[in-house]
Amino acid sequence: MENDEDKDLEASISRKTLIMPKLPSALTVEEKRFLLAVERGDLPNVRRMLQKAHRKKTNLDINCVDSFGRGAMTIAIDQENLEMVELLIIMGVDTKDSLLHAINVEFVEAVELLLEHEELIHKEGELYSWQKVDINTAMFMPDLTPLILAAHRNNYEILKLLLDRGATVPLPHDVKCGCDECIMKSEQDSLRHSLSRLNEYKALASPSLIALSSSDPLLTAFQLSWELRGLAFAEPESKSEYMDLRQQCQQFAVDLLQQTRSSQELAIILNHDPDNPPYQEGEHMKLARLELAIQYKQKKFVAHPNIQQLLAALWYEGVPGFRRKKAKDKIMIIVRVAVLFPFYCMLYMLAPETKIGKLMRKPFMKFLVHASSYLFFLLLLILVSLRADDLLLEHFGSESMKAYVKDKYDKQRGNPPTILEYAVLLYVVGFIFEETQEIFVEGMQSYLRNLWNFIDFTRNVLYSGVIVLRVVSYLQQQAEIEKDPATAYIHREEWDAFDPQLIAEGLFAAANIFSALKLVHLFSINPHLGPLQISLGRMVIDIVKFFFIYTLVLFAFACGLNQLLWYFSDLEKKKCYHLPNGEPDFDGAPDACMKWRRFAK
């Protein structure tokens, strides 16, 4: 039996014998002396040995390698001996992947020399020297080209040499690409295919390569950073590598910004737009490049002190020195704008070219006016909810006004909108116009990217539903009152559950919640409440995730418990309600079985 098992084992081993790569043979004494002379930089002895080898007066293999797989060319490059490298090339030593090795150790002179040699010996349609190396003994992956490796090392001089000779980095295919080439490579070796894409993006993210090859380095860094963010989620196995490359691109953009030496240079960079004429000093700043950075979520770039200083100068342009004023003076300015904002708005619409009209165009003043207007809108909502106009007439009106209010309370159906409700309607129309204009100017994609727009859109939809339902309810109730005047005095408790006016009031309450939620967005300007808003947002997201998992577990537990109860209920029924002969016996069931039956129900 043991002999049979040994035979089977030997047979299985023979079937699974691996094809080992062809390893270099042991060095002769002459070859050891040759490599030692190369390592020591002994040019005369190396030249003499190579000449003897060419005359075949010795058994020296000029392409021999030591136990570490290093040939004479590799050793000379490690020693940074340019004369030795030149001698070896002249004497016909195979360069193999020496160019890649020279790039890897950043030996610029040797790279230039090997490039010139490669241009002389390379023939169109054939492989390059570094591509002919056996993949089993090669030091570098077959997908690594000289330009990709130089980009990995971020060596500006070597990259310049390669780009001047026409070298390019192949654009990687999309991670979801389904072309024949990608499918074939993925089926042959999925790991190699993934590493090849990672190596290409490592090269593309090189700051030196971006600076040398891109006409708009900032835009390239933004776009590549955003693309790497998508790759990090598409390939979670390499997420850390892609996120590191993304941070590298973001840091490159910040480093470029760090080179600005004046506000004029900074303004030219931030207002650069390839589709429009260059920015001239004194023009209105559109900050196109800054908007692009926000769109691509370049947090480090936007938070840079240079940009923040420029934004602060633009923000307080209408009120110079506002940050240096005393707290009392700041409060007085804010209160004055908040109280007089209707006057400022009317003046801007009627005389925009006046001093105050031009002041309204400044960012800080626009924010104060907008915030004051929105706070006034919330005050209107509170007054509408409290029926403030009716309370005012009831307490301070004449007898006829009080009688009108009493009749209005008795006749709750078919009442027209109040003055305050008309004011809210005017605001809602303005909100809808504002959101429509924003979609038209910025585009739907940019509009949907801002999550606060979802709140505004929901608020506007709810208010629109309130308006439609109020109109429908008014027309419907007026028609019913004309047929039977007594229907005007039906109490709310007796109304139909789906009366349009009741539904409209529910939607109005929901819309008020979304309106009040927009206050959080206004608080983001505060240095203390702004970060708190971000923390609260992340906390809410975590709570939603936990609630989803909790609901899922609770549902699974409920389903399992229900199945368990049915199972034991069936067993108890068979045990309690059947006689030994299999016939049912409901009358003779014991008390315990009856209790279980009630529990199961």
Side-chain angles (χ1 to χ4, degrees), residues 157-183:
E157 293 181 74
I158 297 177
L159 284 170
K160 187 75 167 57
L161 287 173
L162 295 170
L163 291 174
D164 289 343
R165 285 171 166 78
T168 57
V169 176
L171 291 178
H173 290 208
D174 188 80
V175 67
K176 299 179 182 179
C177 179
C179 67
D180 296 337
E181 181 183 356
C182 290
I183 293 175

Side-chain angles (χ1 to χ4, degrees), residues 209-229:
L209 182 62
I210 296 174
L212 285 168
S213 61
S214 176
S215 59
D216 194 344
L218 275 179
L219 179 60
T220 302
F222 291 166
Q223 292 175 342
L224 186 58
S225 170
W226 185 256
E227 189 174 352
L228 289 168
R229 178 179 179 272

Side-chain angles (χ1 to χ4, degrees), residues 378-486:
L378 294 180
L379 177 62
L380 287 177
L381 295 180
I382 295 173
L383 295 177
V384 169
S385 301
L386 297 176
R387 300 183 181 274
D389 45 0
D390 293 337
L391 292 175
L392 185 64
L393 294 177
E394 185 177 355
H395 288 85
F396 302 102
S398 60
E399 293 298 328
S400 59
M401 292 180 180
K402 293 180 180 179
Y404 168 76
V405 172
K406 184 177 182 305
D407 182 67
K408 184 179 179 181
Y409 286 160
D410 294 336
K411 181 183 175 183
Q412 297 185 13
R413 304 189 74 215
N415 289 323
T418 62
I419 297 176
L420 293 177
E421 289 176 338
Y422 276 119
V424 171
L425 174 62
L426 186 62
Y427 263 98
V428 171
V429 172
F431 290 150
I432 295 174
F433 177 77
E434 180 184 8
E435 295 300 311
T436 305
Q437 186 182 21
E438 184 177 354
I439 294 174
F440 180 77
V441 173
E442 297 185 3
M444 181 59 70
Q445 186 176 2
S446 177
Y447 178 82
L448 295 177
R449 192 176 291 114
N450 188 353
L451 297 181
W452 284 107
N453 289 331
F454 286 93
I455 295 179
D456 294 338
F457 179 79
T458 305
R459 176 200 61 195
N460 295 340
V461 169
L462 292 175
Y463 280 127
S464 300
V466 171
I467 295 171
V468 173
L469 289 173
R470 286 293 300 272
V471 172
V472 171
S473 66
Y474 179 77
L475 297 176
Q476 176 183 335
Q477 292 165 3
Q478 285 295 326
E480 293 176 2
I481 292 172
E482 289 181 1
K483 294 180 181 179
D484 184 6

Side-chain angles (χ1 to χ4, degrees), residues 165-265:
R165 285 171 166 78
T168 57
V169 176
L171 291 178
H173 290 208
D174 188 80
V175 67
K176 299 179 182 179
C177 179
C179 67
D180 296 337
E181 181 183 356
C182 290
I183 293 175
M184 181 186 66
K185 289 183 178 179
S186 181
E187 290 178 350
Q188 289 178 350
D189 193 336
S190 60
L191 177 60
R192 178 177 169 183
H193 181 55
S194 179
L195 291 177
S196 176
R197 180 187 294 108
L198 181 59
N199 285 329
E200 290 171 351
Y201 274 104
K202 280 183 179 179
L204 292 174
S206 168
S208 297
L209 182 62
I210 296 174
L212 285 168
S213 61
S214 176
S215 59
D216 194 344
L218 275 179
L219 179 60
T220 302
F222 291 166
Q223 292 175 342
L224 186 58
S225 170
W226 185 256
E227 189 174 352
L228 289 168
R229 178 179 179 272
L231 284 167
F233 293 101
E235 291 191 343
E237 302 83 4
S238 305
K239 182 176 180 179
S240 59
E241 288 83 355
Y242 283 121
M243 293 304 290
D244 289 342
L245 293 177
R246 181 170 184 260
Q247 294 294 330
Q248 180 176 310
C249 292
Q250 291 182 345
Q251 187 60 44
F252 172 66
V254 172
D255 293 339
L256 287 179
L257 187 66
Q258 190 71 35
Q259 302 303 315
T260 54
R261 296 166 293 182
S262 64
S263 299
Q264 183 180 3
E265 292 181 359

Side-chain angles (χ1 to χ4, degrees), residues 111-130:
V111 171
E112 189 171 9
L113 184 61
L114 289 167
L115 282 174
E116 293 175 355
H117 174 67
E118 191 67 33
E119 291 175 354
L120 292 174
I121 66 173
H122 180 258
K123 296 180 181 179
E124 190 70 26
E126 294 183 358
L127 297 176
Y128 290 96
S129 299
W130 64 84

